[in-house]
């Protein structure tokens, strides 16, 4: 089934000039980039995005990090996009991620791990709508 997923190239990867490499990898792996914008999230916007983690001990650090600089938010489309993008990202902790995955290649720590990806169809729907009105998705 053709699916859409939300990806975020996080502030660490933007700072390290990895945008082009990551976008090229998405295209090489068969994802179509159907929406994209660079934005500097406020901490409140990051808190709203990650609200499922609000009870976690790392929540305030995570939302501070996610609002520490610009991010590139993307909608990616392909067959099985949600699971395939999670596989391409690798484990949350870059040290535990498989070789060749985006987090292994470009992540620095369990928090500053380069990319975000939706983890289910419900999350993808919420996350895409959080950033993109339908007129901005092509
Ligand atoms: P994401 O939701 O960003 O795609 P994920 O689904 O692999 O990542 P989650 O458990 O949803 O991982 O955690 C969300 C984000 O919170 C992680 O990507 C990471 O930036 C941060 N994070 C997760 N666990 C920790 C931790 N133990 N310490 C610090 N930050 C963490
Ligand atoms: Mg997650």
């Amino acid at each position: 089934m053709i699916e859409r997923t939300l990806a975020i190239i996080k502030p660490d990867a933007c700072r390290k000039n990895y945008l082009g490499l990551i976008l090229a990898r998405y295209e090489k792996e068969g994802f179509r980039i159907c929406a994209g914008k660079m934005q500097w999230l406020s901490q409140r916007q990051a808190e709203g995005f990650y609200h499922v983690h609000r009870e976690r001990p790392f929540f305030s650090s995570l939302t501070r990090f996610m609002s520490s600089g610009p991010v590139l938010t993307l909608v990616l489309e392909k067959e099985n996009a949600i699971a395939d993008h999670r596989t391409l990202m690798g484990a949350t902790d870059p040290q535990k991620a498989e070789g060749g995955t985006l987090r292994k290649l470009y992540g620095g720590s369990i928090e500053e791990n380069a990319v975000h990806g939706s983890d289910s169809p419900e999350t993808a729907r919420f996350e895409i709508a959080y950033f993109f009105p339908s007129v901005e998705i092509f």
Side-chain angles (χ1 to χ4, degrees):
M1 192 180 50
I2 297 280
E3 288 178 334
R4 287 176 175 173
T5 191
L6 186 92
I8 303 178
I9 304 181
K10 295 185 179 185
D12 58 321
C14 291
R15 276 193 281 274
K16 293 174 182 163
N17 267 1
Y18 290 146
L19 285 177
L21 289 169
I22 294 171
L23 291 175
R25 185 71 185 279
Y26 285 149
E27 293 192 330
K28 178 164 174 277
E29 301 292 339
F31 292 90
R32 191 175 71 80
I33 297 169
C34 46
K37 63 185 159 197
M38 187 171 262
Q39 47 191 333
W40 190 324
L41 302 178
S42 67
Q43 192 161 355
R44 275 193 74 120
Q45 287 174 312
E47 286 166 1
F49 180 76
Y50 275 124
H51 74 280
V52 293
H53 294 314
R54 64 192 173 280
E55 307 296 342
R56 302 279 203 94
F58 57 80
F59 183 67
S60 68
S61 175
L62 170 64
T63 55
R64 237 180 300 121
F65 161 60
M66 288 299 289
S67 55
S68 68
V71 297
L72 187 67
T73 46
L74 302 163
V75 179
L76 305 178
E77 184 180 83
K78 83 186 266 301
E79 188 80 22
N80 204 34
I82 297 167
D84 285 359
H85 181 231
R86 300 283 298 182
T87 304
L88 178 61
M89 289 195 305
T92 308
D93 182 350
Q95 288 194 337
K96 297 187 181 143
E98 296 269 335
T101 60
L102 295 174
R103 283 168 166 170
K104 184 67 157 195
L105 288 167
Y106 307 122
S109 70
I110 192 166
E111 180 171 87
E112 303 204 358
N113 58 5
V115 285
H116 162 84
S118 310
D119 61 8
S120 72
E122 298 69 48
T123 324
R125 252 193 307 281
F126 166 77
E127 292 180 352
I128 291 169
Y130 192 80
F131 289 121
F132 294 99
S134 57
V135 292
E136 292 181 12
I137 305 172
F138 303 98

